[in-house]
Amino acid sequence: MLRALRRRILTPNVRETQLARRGFHVKNEEARVQLETVGASFLQGYAYAVEARNAAEADEWLNTIPRAFRGFAYEGAGMGAAMLDSFTGTQKRLTGLLEGEGRHHDYMILVGVGWAMARLPKFLWPDVDAYDPLKRWLILDGYGFHQAYFRTDAYVRDPQREHPFSWGAGYDAYSARALDQGIGRALWFVGGTDPDVVAGLIAAYPEHRHGDLYAGAGLACTYAGAADEHELRRFAEHAGEHFPQLAQGSAFACEAREKAGLTIAHTHVAAHVLCGGRTPAQAARVCTDLIPAMRDAGDQADVPAFETWRQRIAADISTVPYVQKGATA
């Protein structure tokens, strides 16, 4: 009874994810339903994380979410676990989530931690040193997504405004870029999955931000979907010189879905269009094969190993169309 009350008190209202309420573009009814189901699945995962007795029970409940939307539920669970831990002064729930079935959903859970940071005062932020130093930058992706999704006037409709940010992982100069990757992911939702609208939103930002924004949008259009092959090709044309970043984001989405066993039909379409004709498994393998050793970055490097990794993926996956071993081009 107390856990159910905790869930009711802590869980945001699902109405906050409705496109009309957010003032987001509606491309068509199918896209609207898809995006609103994503939001509802996120909040369901959040609710499970804060109501469950432990991480194992949360995993049991999360695995009842349909495969297409389960990753978003784990993203919500990451936020819920981080919020719950902030009130207890531990990282027990979040650690349990990442060590259980959630280890297959670590991309999404870390993004969810960023949502929690956006809702919590800074003194309650989780200790980022506790997480994988390579992937913890995804936390800022989640923070940036939250701000663009819920503070759309400041982060999207006023694209020239700067938002200084600092956290405990260092590389403060890079933090703005990691936030932009999350903002770009949110633009896929703000633009209602319409490639022309999303590209127009990106174009309104200063040019030096476009690459990271397209990377985030590439992740979203592959993972969240609601665009057909023709629309994805048009989006790739809009990206122009930033296509390598768009492809890198798409490859990240393939890796996240493949690792979690959540690959769906749309993932195949997006991987084929944006990742040089690869399957999701082949695009995911590019990501895992190019993971840098942490020593490659070094304490004096200008960017973290995470950015080195992204650059390697972008260069590899967008250079030439994929050719199977033994086949001719």
Side-chain angles (χ1 to χ4, degrees), residues 247-329:
Q248 176 270 310
S250 179
F252 258 18
C254 291
E255 159 63 357
R257 280 203 175 271
E258 282 286 307
K259 183 176 182 179
L262 301 179
T263 298
I264 57 177
H266 175 80
T267 323
H268 285 271
V269 174
H272 181 78
V273 173
L274 301 178
C275 298
R278 292 170 173 82
T279 66
Q282 290 159 349
R285 196 172 304 122
V286 171
C287 297
T288 55
D289 286 350
L290 295 178
I291 292 177
M294 295 309 296
R295 63 176 178 274
D296 287 354
D299 291 338
Q300 303 305 312
D302 293 333
V303 294
F306 179 73
E307 176 58 20
T308 301
W309 186 28
R310 292 179 64 244
Q311 290 174 6
R312 290 177 179 178
I313 295 168
D316 185 288
I317 207 156
S318 63
T319 304
V320 293
Y322 179 76
V323 179
Q324 287 275 18
K325 279 189 175 181
T328 58

Side-chain angles (χ1 to χ4, degrees), residues 51-250:
E51 184 178 359
R53 292 182 179 86
N54 50 48
E57 185 173 55
D59 276 327
E60 181 182 344
W61 294 347
L62 287 160
N63 282 319
T64 66
I65 301 291
R67 289 178 65 253
F69 301 100
R70 196 175 304 158
F72 300 106
Y74 266 96
E75 184 180 356
M79 179 186 180
M83 294 288 286
L84 198 58
D85 284 346
S86 73
F87 300 130
T88 61
T90 70
Q91 294 194 168
K92 181 179 178 181
R93 183 58 61 94
L94 193 55
T95 299
L97 199 61
L98 285 165
E99 290 179 350
E101 286 298 309
R103 68 188 183 278
H104 304 300
H105 305 268
D106 56 345
Y107 284 82
M108 305 303 285
I109 291 172
L110 290 173
V111 167
V113 174
W115 278 66
M117 284 173 49
R119 294 289 179 105
L120 291 168
K122 197 167 185 177
F123 72 90
L124 288 179
W125 284 6
D127 177 13
V128 294
D129 288 333
Y131 305 112
D132 179 345
L134 182 67
K135 293 182 181 177
R136 66 187 176 193
W137 289 94
L138 294 168
I139 295 173
L140 291 194
D141 181 298
Y143 186 101
F145 183 100
H146 177 282
Q147 300 301 76
Y149 192 93
F150 288 103
R151 299 182 59 195
T152 313
D153 284 345
Y155 279 79
V156 178
R157 299 187 180 108
D158 187 3
Q160 304 300 319
R161 186 186 301 189
E162 296 185 2
H163 303 276
F165 182 89
S166 178
W167 68 327
Y171 296 103
D172 284 350
Y174 183 75
S175 295
R177 295 189 57 191
L179 292 175
D180 273 349
Q181 292 153 34
I183 292 170
R185 191 164 59 90
L187 294 180
W188 188 248
F189 289 71
V190 178
T193 80
D194 185 315
D196 302 323
V197 174
V198 178
L201 291 170
I202 292 174
Y205 288 85
E207 171 62 31
H208 71 274
R209 301 175 63 180
H210 290 184
D212 290 309
L213 294 169
Y214 267 110
L219 197 158
C221 73
T222 302
Y223 199 100
D228 61 26
E229 181 174 348
H230 174 73
E231 290 174 316
L232 291 171
R233 292 192 185 282
R234 194 159 75 247
F235 196 41
E237 291 173 2
H238 281 305
E241 65 179 300
H242 302 296
F243 175 75
Q245 289 73 40
L246 178 71
Q248 176 270 310
S250 179

Side-chain angles (χ1 to χ4, degrees), residues 16-35:
E16 295 302 316
T17 67
Q18 294 174 354
L19 268 62
R21 189 176 182 89
R22 301 247 57 82
F24 294 170
H25 176 72
V26 177
K27 180 178 71 177
N28 55 43
E29 182 65 8
E30 182 181 0
R32 181 193 67 78
V33 170
Q34 175 77 2
L35 295 183

